[in-house]
Amino acid sequence: MKLRLSQKNALWGFAFIALPVIYFLFIFIVPMVQAFYFSVLNYNTLSTQTHFIGLANYASMLEDDVFWTAIWNSLRYALVRAPGVLLISLITALLFQNITRGKGFLQTLIMLPFMTSGVAMAWIFNLIYSRIGPITALLSDLGVQNPQLLTSPKTALYAIAAVTIWGSIGYYALLFTVGLNAIPNDYYDAAKVDGASPWQIFKHITIPLLNPTIVLVSIIAVTASLKNFDVVRSMAANGGPINSTLTLPLMIYLEAFRRMNMGRASAMTLVFFLFILIITFIQLKLITREVRY
Amino acid sequence: MKRISVVVSFIVLLSMVLAACAPAATPAATQPPAAAQPTTPPASSSQPVTIDFWYIPFTNWDTALNKIIADFQAANPNITVNATQVPYEDFTTKVATTVPTGQGPDVLTPYHGWIATYQKSGFIAPIPEDVLPTSQLKNDLVSAADVLVFDGKYYAVPFYMMDYALFYNKDYFAKAGITTVPTTWYELEDAAKKCTQRDSSGKMVVNGYYQLFSQQDHIIWKNLLIQWGAPLFSADYKKALWNTSQAGYDAWTWFTELTTKDKVSQPNFNDSAYAAFYTGQACMIIAGPQVIGQIKSQAPDLNYGTAPLVKGPATDEAAANHNIAQYWSFAITSKAAKDPAKYEASAKFLKYLISDAAVKTYSPIIGALPPTKSMMSDPMYTEDPYLKAFLTGLPYSQALFWVDEQGERQLAIDMGDKVLINGEDPKAVLDWGTAQEQALLDKYWAP
């Protein structure tokens, strides 16, 4: 078949975009379609029967109190971790702006926990929080009765959040440092000439001009908090005590690989995806402001 | 041009969607269980055959099993046993993802509480009659092995048999002026109060009786209900009856009050009750014989004793003395059952594993009771100063039927945490736990 030049060009065009299209289809779209397909089956690897059950997995999930506990725990975890890590990272980045000697060394040092495996970090903190660990000893000396942070339903989730905050300060501080370095010095010079105080400079120049970085970092921090699995799994095992550390990713894992209920786990995965999408959308709406230099 | 774009796009999309759906349309679990129709093994075979054997690397298991495998291979030179260690956490996941696709082990070591699920899922096959007849197994094995029978056929044989007994620290008993070893739960409570040690600031140093639901007490509390005269399940195992009698409420409340009222135990004092005992953090624990092996290797100088499990207040003698047997097991997979040679070799391996020779090899290494009645009178158990306490309990022992071992275990942990850590009303927690257990039973028995 003889093709016209425009048709040949079109085919070449398709050939070039085929690679990224196939990549995205297989890496993103296919698993999603497959997850949706599994979510409407009673697909359990321990069962010999698999058949279509419609939205029954979604219905049973929404009726399950533990599922709502997991949603609430994920939110609590993100609400503590994301603002915590943003605030401390921003302060760290601002402090770095004023350091001249040993800056590179300190930045490397603060990045070390981020480069450490989450599982290794979790096990070290399991020891630190344990009955014979230094934190328990310190709290005990301060008069706290039986201060076992990881075994109390009231404190376990926050104790885990504290570990992940500590572990990711370096990464977020680095992002803030890049953002701060991108702000032109002219604005600071002009403000100083006009007699602005350090607080006024921070409030009226640094924060507004850093907004694109804040938006980016907060979306990354919230999403990472909601998705955190390795540290939670290593420190909370099965989400105990009494489901107080059962986050949604952990619940999905337990449903899929402990109860072998792939259908219900797939339904949870899709709901989790929507959950993150909605939160990210709300975040974008709330904190996006246009900035012009 | 535009039309070509639309057509090509449509074809690409359609092919992708079809590709997405294709593998999902036949997930592995939809395959019919091979166990349903196992191949009949040939009468005998001298052809070389290799069987894959999966086991969990618990303390000293590798030493014990390697010795047994070496002996078995020497007696059966045509059979090679290829042993692989699979972690406890991943065991069922790996079995579920390999066996239905014709891969994975031929022989494995599931916990007896998993057998019902494995049998229902078609992961394991019945033990072939011509190598190990059901009548012979019924006659030889202890009664706790009855839960391994489905449709009149054994699907596994016991390994690492254990029941429960009291472990007590003789030095702490002497220090507290306790001269007689408790024989009832109430005597244990008194002894635990005397044995508990605190420092000058009131901090727990030695738990009188260490209670840990994530370990032995998730089973002990169920035994306690029986020892108080309360029913656990209906005869057909379809109804949870924990809260259907006053005795059930009394037993559960009394047990949790050891921590909440008597304060003889501090929650989460140690992740392991066994370690708490052999490191001197607990005066008493109830545990299985495996702790003897651990003490031997971890704290050989510990001055301790074992005594039969303490009695409950039930008027019926068998109920008051009731004990729970639990064990791991050896089972043949449905994958092996598809290959006559492997099926026969696997059955021979199982036959050897419950033989007196094999039991005598592994028992001293891992600290286990015999799976067969004939071995129960063997001097190696009856004259052992620590093991004989466990033998006393074996005639009263029954294995629990588990429909979801991990789920039921987690339920007991949550029940314990609710009362011991959250301070919730034990009666309300027992009601909640019974409802949760019923949900697990309903799920298992659902058609």
Side-chain angles (χ1 to χ4, degrees):
Chain A
M1 191 174 75
K2 198 168 182 182
L3 296 172
R4 289 201 304 271
L5 183 62
S6 59
Q7 287 172 325
K8 277 184 185 172
N9 286 342
L11 278 177
W12 275 111
F14 281 119
F16 281 118
I17 63 162
L19 203 62
V21 165
I22 288 168
Y23 171 80
F24 278 103
L25 279 170
F26 274 98
I27 301 297
F28 297 104
I29 308 298
V30 170
M32 279 176 62
V33 172
Q34 201 161 27
F36 177 74
Y37 179 70
F38 285 160
S39 77
V40 293
L41 301 176
N42 73 335
Y43 176 24
N44 187 318
T45 46
L46 292 179
S47 169
T48 53
Q49 303 290 322
T50 300
H51 54 85
F52 178 76
I53 53 167
L55 298 177
N57 278 328
Y58 293 91
S60 80
M61 177 184 73
L62 297 174
E63 285 167 4
D64 186 354
D65 292 343
V66 179
F67 172 74
W68 292 107
T69 303
I71 292 262
W72 172 234
N73 286 342
S74 295
L75 276 174
R76 272 198 305 148
Y77 183 77
L79 283 171
V80 170
R81 185 187 175 267
V85 76
L86 287 182
L87 191 69
I88 299 172
S89 305
L90 181 58
I91 292 170
T92 309
L94 287 167
L95 289 173
F96 276 131
Q97 294 299 102
N98 297 316
I99 292 173
T100 47
R101 278 191 178 181
K103 191 173 172 179
F105 173 71
L106 284 173
Q107 280 179 328
T108 308
L109 206 64
I110 211 159
M111 276 297 284
L112 281 179
F114 180 73
M115 292 187 284
T116 308
S117 144
V119 176
M121 205 164 66
W123 280 102
I124 289 167
F125 272 88
N126 275 337
L127 288 173
I128 290 173
Y129 283 138
S130 74
R131 193 181 60 84
I132 51 167
I135 290 181
T136 308
L138 179 71
L139 292 172
S140 194
D141 290 345
L142 292 171
V144 180
Q145 284 289 313
N146 192 20
Q148 293 190 47
L149 297 178
L150 274 184
T151 52
S152 164
K154 289 175 187 159
T155 54
L157 192 70
Y158 304 117
I160 296 171
V163 174
T164 53
I165 288 174
W166 175 80
S168 43
I169 290 171
Y171 173 66
Y172 293 106
L174 188 72
L175 293 178
F176 277 125
T177 303
V178 173
L180 288 168
N181 289 343
I183 299 173
N185 277 331
D186 302 359
Y187 292 99
Y188 291 117
D189 294 341
K192 280 174 193 167
V193 170
D194 290 344
S197 67
W199 171 246
Q200 284 172 321
I201 293 173
F202 178 70
K203 190 181 171 190
H204 297 294
I205 296 176
T206 307
I207 290 293
L209 295 181
L210 196 61
N211 196 52
T213 310
I214 293 172
V215 172
L216 173 76
V217 171
S218 61
I219 288 172
I220 295 173
V222 169
T223 313
S225 303
L226 290 170
K227 290 197 303 184
N228 189 293
F229 173 76
D230 54 351
V231 177
V232 176
R233 169 72 179 147
S234 303
M235 295 186 78
N238 294 328
I242 324 170
N243 293 331
S244 61
T245 56
L246 184 74
T247 56
L248 208 45
L250 182 57
M251 190 180 182
I252 291 168
Y253 167 79
L254 294 174
E255 194 68 34
F257 299 109
R258 287 291 166 267
R259 297 180 193 97
M260 306 289 173
N261 198 341
M262 298 299 169
R264 201 156 179 260
S266 299
M268 285 179 185
T269 307
L270 288 176
V271 170
F272 183 46
F273 168 71
L274 285 175
F275 180 62
I276 291 183
L277 201 69
I278 291 166
I279 286 180
T280 308
F281 182 73
I282 293 170
Q283 258 188 305
L284 277 169
K285 282 283 171 199
L286 287 178
I287 55 180
T288 306
R289 275 182 292 165
E290 202 163 313
V291 180
R292 285 186 186 166
Y293 291 102
Chain B
M1 173 67 205
K2 205 171 180 181
R3 213 166 53 190
I4 291 175
S5 319
V6 171
V7 170
V8 172
S9 304
F10 177 73
I11 290 168
V12 169
L13 271 173
L14 186 68
S15 60
M16 292 307 149
V17 170
L18 287 174
C21 295
T26 51
T30 57
Q31 300 299 318
Q37 291 168 326
T39 315
T40 307
S44 67
S45 169
S46 55
Q47 291 296 310
V49 56
T50 299
I51 52 173
D52 289 314
F53 171 53
W54 282 12
Y55 70 97
I56 299 168
F58 286 123
T59 312
N60 300 331
W61 274 33
D62 53 343
T63 314
L65 290 171
N66 283 337
K67 272 191 175 185
I68 295 171
I69 290 168
D71 293 344
F72 172 73
Q73 287 180 155
N76 298 271
N78 65 318
I79 303 173
T80 304
V81 179
N82 185 17
T84 306
Q85 295 185 354
V86 179
Y88 167 80
E89 284 275 301
D90 302 330
F91 200 83
T92 297
T93 312
K94 286 187 182 290
V95 170
T97 50
T98 54
V99 173
T101 58
Q103 295 169 349
D106 300 302
V107 176
L108 36 66
T109 57
Y111 176 64
H112 85 265
W114 303 346
I115 292 293
T117 309
Y118 278 33
Q119 189 271 342
K120 195 180 175 191
S121 306
F123 297 158
I124 52 176
I127 296 169
E129 283 284 330
D130 55 345
V131 181
L132 270 171
T134 302
S135 55
Q136 185 196 327
L137 288 172
K138 185 81 186 160
N139 192 46
D140 291 353
L141 297 177
V142 293
S143 60
D146 291 351
V147 294
L148 303 175
V149 179
F150 297 86
D151 302 326
K153 290 175 181 172
Y154 279 89
Y155 274 73
V157 291
F159 167 57
Y160 203 16
M161 177 67 71
M162 55 182 111
D163 62 359
Y164 289 94
L166 174 70
F167 284 75
Y168 62 97
N169 185 309
K170 288 183 176 176
D171 292 338
Y172 290 157
F173 265 37
K175 195 176 171 186
I178 302 165
T179 50
T180 50
V181 179
T183 56
T184 68
W185 277 105
Y186 296 132
E187 287 176 14
L188 179 142
E189 183 184 20
D190 288 338
K193 283 179 189 170
K194 289 177 189 165
C195 231
T196 302
Q197 293 177 31
R198 295 176 185 279
D199 67 10
S200 54
S201 64
K203 228 162 52 174
M204 180 77 83
V205 178
V206 175
N207 292 261
Y209 168 79
Y210 187 46
Q211 198 165 48
L212 189 65
F213 279 89
S214 59
Q215 212 167 32
Q216 78 284 359
D217 286 310
H218 81 93
I219 291 172
I220 294 296
W221 86 268
K222 288 180 180 169
N223 195 53
L224 212 76
L225 256 65
I226 299 170
Q227 289 185 296
W228 251 250
L232 275 184
F233 300 103
S234 59
D236 59 4
Y237 275 100
K238 290 187 176 173
K239 290 280 171 212
L241 305 175
W242 304 347
N243 65 345
T244 55
S245 68
Q246 188 55 41
Y249 284 116
D250 291 346
W252 169 248
T253 304
W254 182 88
F255 194 49
T256 53
E257 280 180 353
L258 285 173
T259 294
T260 59
K261 194 174 150 197
D262 296 335
K263 311 272 185 201
V264 299
S265 177
Q266 182 181 306
N268 301 305
F269 196 82
N270 193 312
D271 289 344
S272 162
Y274 312 156
F277 182 73
Y278 64 68
T279 57
Q281 295 171 357
C283 178
M284 288 182 283
I285 57 164
I286 303 276
Q290 75 274 27
V291 180
I292 297 169
Q294 293 189 19
I295 293 172
K296 222 183 263 179
S297 59
Q298 303 296 325
D301 298 329
L302 187 74
N303 187 18
Y304 77 104
T306 58
L309 180 66
V310 286
K311 282 185 187 179
T315 48
D316 178 68
E317 184 68 8
N321 284 291
H322 193 272
N323 205 321
I324 287 182
Q326 58 165 343
Y327 50 89
W328 294 79
S329 65
F330 295 112
I332 303 172
T333 63
S334 49
K335 173 213 163 195
K338 288 175 188 166
D339 180 333
K342 280 182 187 282
Y343 198 23
E344 185 193 18
S346 301
K348 280 183 177 174
F349 186 43
L350 256 63
K351 188 174 183 177
Y352 182 74
L353 289 165
I354 55 167
S355 68
D356 291 358
V359 173
K360 280 186 176 181
T361 303
Y362 74 69
S363 281
I365 301 171
I366 59 174
L369 299 178
T372 50
K373 291 170 194 164
S374 60
M375 282 289 289
M376 279 176 66
S377 53
D378 193 285
M380 97 180 255
Y381 300 102
T382 55
E383 289 173 16
D384 186 291
Y386 301 114
L387 277 178
K388 62 183 179 189
F390 294 90
L391 276 189
T392 313
L394 215 48
Y396 298 104
S397 297
Q398 283 178 316
L400 287 176
F401 179 75
W402 301 83
V403 294
D404 175 359
E405 192 264 330
Q406 293 197 22
E408 289 173 284
R409 181 173 178 270
Q410 188 59 46
L411 174 60
I413 294 170
D414 288 347
M415 286 172 69
D417 283 348
K418 276 173 178 276
V419 181
L420 308 189
I421 297 174
N422 257 13
E424 293 180 34
D425 174 32
K427 289 181 178 174
V429 170
L430 187 67
D431 289 339
W432 174 82
T434 310
Q436 298 292 312
E437 176 69 19
Q438 189 58 53
L440 293 174
L441 291 174
D442 292 344
K443 194 175 164 191
Y444 176 79
W445 292 111

